[in-house]
Amino acid sequence: MATIVITGANRGIGLELAKQYQARGDHVIAAVRTASSELTGPGIETFEGVDVTDDGAVAKLASALEGRDIDVLINNAGILSRETLDDLDWGRMRAQFEVNALGPLRVTKALLPCLSEGSKVAIISSRVGSLDDNSSGNNYGYRMSKVAVNMAGVNLSHDLKDKGIPVLLLHPGYVRTEMTGMSGGIDPDESARGLIARIDETTMERTGTFWHADGTELPW
Ligand SMILES: NC(=O)c1ccc[n+]([C@@H]2O[C@H](COP(=O)([O-])OP(=O)(O)OC[C@H]3O[C@@H](n4cnc5c(N)ncnc54)[C@H](OP(=O)(O)O)[C@@H]3O)[C@@H](O)[C@H]2O)c1
């Protein structure tokens, strides 16, 4: 039984990840701002008030988990707002940096004492954070925040190499969740299955790489 910490596990892809890990017998620590009614049952432990932009809230989670071993940390929490060149709202763009780029780094750093050789760190990024893959523009804050988190992930992969902790950047697919207004090509269960498969197959040889949930390696 592995211990899996998931941020933003109360809905969307994070909730589905929690349910699938629970179903296979792992122990899920759901780090959420507010629990949802679906986030219940044996094998699910919920910590509320975990806003990934809040140092104090993340420190509280870290101190609650002191002495525990985490096998997989999944930085999943994220937000999307859609700025165009005609609508560059700096506040919304900063907010996306706070959650999408700084959030995973803040949480990973705070939980490092619970990670050791063989633990894995996954960051749910997005292929819209791929410079090579950008063929359409728009979504300034979201795209820029996901490029930044990709760099944070690659940096972490170097810094955690000596500890034997692989760091993986993942794109979940275009998924029907609140973030996409329930549009998308796949449902969260299919996305979560793919993400879990990618995390399962991750070794140190893959650290610092970027993968689609469907098993395709993505360009930066
Ligand atoms: N859906 C897609 O097609 C798609 C594509 C590419 C990448 N992604 C990425 O996949 C991840 C999950 O997205 P989703 O589609 O499942 O979105 P979602 O349904 O909107 O869920 C987002 C989750 O993030 C949490 N969250 C937002 N701000 C937070 C904060 N400041 N602190 C802690 N938690 C916070 C939300 O919690 P609350 O309920 O408290 O707001 C919620 O649990 C995100 O990183 C997203 O960028 C999604």
Side-chain angles (χ1 to χ4, degrees):
M1 183 188 70
T3 297
I4 320 288
V5 174
I6 307 169
T7 63
N10 55 304
R11 60 185 166 97
I13 296 164
L15 174 63
E16 195 53 43
L17 286 167
K19 283 166 38 181
Q20 290 188 21
Y21 277 115
Q22 176 195 35
R24 77 180 199 182
D26 291 323
H27 183 77
V28 174
I29 297 176
V32 299
R33 291 197 290 194
T34 311
S36 56
S37 55
E38 292 133 294
L39 202 55
T40 52
I44 302 234
E45 187 181 356
T46 303
F47 285 90
E48 286 193 285
V50 186
D51 184 325
V52 299
T53 69
D54 181 337
D55 285 330
V58 172
K60 223 165 140 186
L61 172 70
S63 88
L65 295 181
E66 204 179 319
R68 309 258 307 259
D69 294 323
I70 297 171
D71 296 292
V72 180
L73 166 61
I74 306 181
N75 289 285
N76 162 77
I79 55 171
L80 161 71
S81 51
R82 301 178 184 278
E83 299 80 27
T84 64
L85 193 53
D86 295 327
D87 170 34
L88 291 175
D89 183 311
W90 310 114
R92 288 203 319 254
M93 289 172 70
R94 269 188 212 102
Q96 288 170 95
F97 265 91
E98 278 293 342
V99 179
N100 299 345
L102 301 184
L105 189 56
R106 179 180 284 111
V107 171
T108 303
K109 167 74 181 162
L111 298 186
L112 266 185
C114 301
L115 303 171
S116 56
E117 186 168 355
S119 302
K120 300 176 183 183
V121 175
I123 296 174
I124 309 301
S125 177
S126 170
R127 73 184 302 168
V128 304
S130 165
L131 301 175
D132 285 336
D133 198 56
N134 185 351
S135 56
S136 56
N138 285 328
N139 296 336
Y140 279 82
Y142 189 70
R143 282 188 186 279
M144 292 168 70
S145 68
K146 292 294 189 180
V147 176
V149 82
N150 284 350
M151 180 56 85
V154 173
N155 252 14
L156 281 168
S157 76
H158 292 300
D159 289 338
L160 300 183
K161 202 167 264 173
D162 286 349
K163 291 187 193 302
I165 302 170
V167 180
L168 198 65
L169 284 307
L170 290 166
H171 170 65
Y174 183 31
V175 191
R176 292 177 201 106
T177 64
E178 281 180 46
M179 178 173 283
T180 58
M182 298 300 168
S183 63
I186 57 173
D187 286 321
D189 63 333
E190 184 179 344
S191 173
R193 260 197 309 281
L195 293 170
I196 290 171
R198 303 290 78 74
I199 293 167
D200 281 346
E201 70 196 18
T202 293
T203 60
M204 283 309 290
E205 282 68 51
R206 279 210 179 170
T207 193
T209 57
F210 187 19
W211 293 82
H212 193 302
D214 71 7
T216 313
E217 187 169 4
L218 293 169
W220 298 113

